[in-house]
Amino acid sequence: MASLTQISQSQSYFTKRHIQIPPFLANPDSSFSLKKSGHLRFPRRTAEMPLKAVVVSATTAEKPSKRYPGESKGFVEEMRFVAMKLHTKDQAKEGEKDVKEPEERPVAKWDPTIDGYLRFLVDSKLVYDTLEGIVEKAAFPAYAEFRNTGLERSEKLAKDLEWFKEQGHAIPEPSTPGVTYAQYLKELSEKDPQAFLCHFYNVYFAHSAGGRMIGKKVAQTILNKKELEFYKWDGDLSQLLQNVREKLNKVAEGWTREEKNHCLEETEKSFKHSGEILRLILS
């Protein structure tokens, strides 16, 4: 979901308009001078310099326009770039974060437990139930774009929890990390669509990447290599992800730069909430 699971973004570009200078101004010996700012300084007219010759066409230089990392490829790439920075070096080559929490260690060093994993699955299901309910209700029209994407996990998790029940395991109630995150998503979705879609992107895309690595580790360690439905998708996963990328990019085209930046700033909160749920696996 978050942090480790997101194993899955500056240069500034400046646009200048050229100042067109008549040939006689290009002469370095001319009495005219062109400052670096693009403004012309005119001397007093002399007898050798007829007034009618002093005709200059110039445009005001534009302010530099900042280009954000990944912007040329679409807004999803901007989100990916920011997310990668919040990984550790072990998790992603672009990672910049120091290892502080147990779930931030390499997956190979994890020691999961059945009880902890069940708590993780239950809380994860609550989050996916919430996300899928929000896009179905669509308090903002843009949310409707993300119905039936093929990335939905709620039904898959329901099947997995039923399987654990059949094996004799007691299914716990959702715990504080899941309940807290679900409530936050509900509140956010009603007033802040840019921030909500940041969470939508990070939760689903994280599970499709790092989440699968975690699932494989858990299966090998405590599930006798059983592959859960949580880690299966109907159809080609890469195409499903691409379809959602295109939808997210399309929605973001209507956002201002400030709204885009606000969305990117929400990434850290997404990692925090998802990391608390992920930590349950090791409890």
Side-chain angles (χ1 to χ4, degrees):
M1 286 197 45
S3 191
L4 174 60
T5 63
Q6 308 233 356
I7 302 195
S8 350
Q9 320 190 204
S10 134
Q11 292 179 326
S12 296
Y13 295 85
F14 298 87
T15 303
K16 297 180 179 179
R17 294 180 182 172
H18 297 289
I19 298 175
Q20 298 178 348
I21 305 174
F24 66 87
L25 289 179
N27 185 346
D29 295 327
S30 170
S31 298
F32 290 80
S33 65
L34 181 62
K35 295 181 180 179
K36 292 182 179 180
S37 64
H39 298 290
L40 295 172
R41 184 174 68 231
F42 296 95
R44 293 182 179 180
R45 184 169 60 88
T46 64
E48 292 77 18
M49 188 183 299
L51 179 61
K52 63 180 180 180
V54 188
V55 180
V56 179
S57 174
T59 58
T60 303
E62 292 181 346
K63 292 182 180 180
S65 177
K66 181 178 180 180
R67 202 69 183 271
Y68 289 76
E71 185 177 0
S72 62
K73 296 182 179 179
F75 187 63
V76 170
E77 184 64 13
E78 291 189 52
M79 288 197 285
R80 189 199 71 81
F81 182 88
V82 172
M84 289 301 100
K85 294 292 184 182
L86 294 178
H87 286 76
T88 66
K89 283 293 185 183
D90 288 330
Q91 296 168 352
K93 62 181 180 180
E94 305 101 319
E96 296 181 351
K97 186 177 181 180
D98 294 328
V99 176
K100 295 181 180 180
E101 303 295 344
E103 74 277 7
E104 294 172 341
R105 293 177 297 165
V107 177
K109 298 181 179 181
W110 283 25
D111 187 19
T113 66
I114 286 286
D115 289 342
Y117 190 55
L118 276 172
R119 286 194 289 271
F120 163 75
L121 293 177
V122 168
D123 279 28
S124 295
K125 184 176 184 301
L126 177 58
V127 170
Y128 283 106
D129 286 345
T130 302
L131 288 169
E132 290 159 27
I134 288 170
V135 298
E136 184 62 33
K137 180 180 177 182
F140 288 88
Y143 296 167
E145 294 288 331
F146 304 99
R147 295 171 181 163
N148 303 317
T149 62
L151 299 183
E152 292 79 14
R153 298 290 86 196
S154 186
E155 290 186 7
K156 299 285 188 180
L157 281 164
K159 292 180 180 179
D160 289 331
L161 291 173
E162 183 61 29
W163 179 82
F164 275 101
K165 187 176 181 180
E166 291 171 356
Q167 307 308 307
H169 296 287
I171 308 302
E173 293 296 318
S175 59
T176 299
V179 172
T180 300
Y181 195 18
Q183 183 60 36
Y184 180 69
L185 289 171
K186 288 178 182 177
E187 294 172 358
L188 202 63
S189 68
E190 294 172 356
K191 61 183 181 180
D192 197 338
Q194 286 79 28
F196 169 73
L197 287 175
C198 174
H199 289 265
F200 179 92
Y201 162 77
N202 279 295
V203 170
Y204 282 104
F205 278 66
H207 181 64
S208 71
R212 289 192 292 168
M213 293 180 61
I214 293 170
K216 184 176 181 180
K217 169 66 176 179
V218 171
Q220 292 175 340
T221 306
I222 60 177
L223 297 181
N224 196 27
K225 297 184 178 181
K226 175 179 173 57
E227 183 181 12
L228 297 182
E229 295 298 314
F230 191 26
Y231 306 99
K232 298 178 184 178
W233 285 263
D234 298 325
D236 180 63
L237 177 57
S238 62
Q239 186 58 56
L240 296 176
L241 292 169
Q242 181 57 29
N243 292 343
V244 175
R245 285 191 193 95
E246 291 174 358
K247 290 176 181 291
L248 284 166
N249 282 334
K250 182 178 179 181
V251 169
E253 286 177 359
W255 295 352
T256 64
R257 183 66 253 178
E258 289 73 20
E259 288 172 331
K260 290 180 179 179
N261 289 347
H262 177 60
C263 175
L264 297 176
E265 290 165 358
E266 191 71 15
T267 306
E268 194 165 356
K269 291 182 181 179
S270 174
F271 271 57
K272 174 182 177 294
H273 285 290
S274 294
E276 291 172 352
I277 294 175
L278 186 62
R279 199 173 303 152
L280 294 171
I281 297 177
L282 305 178
S283 62

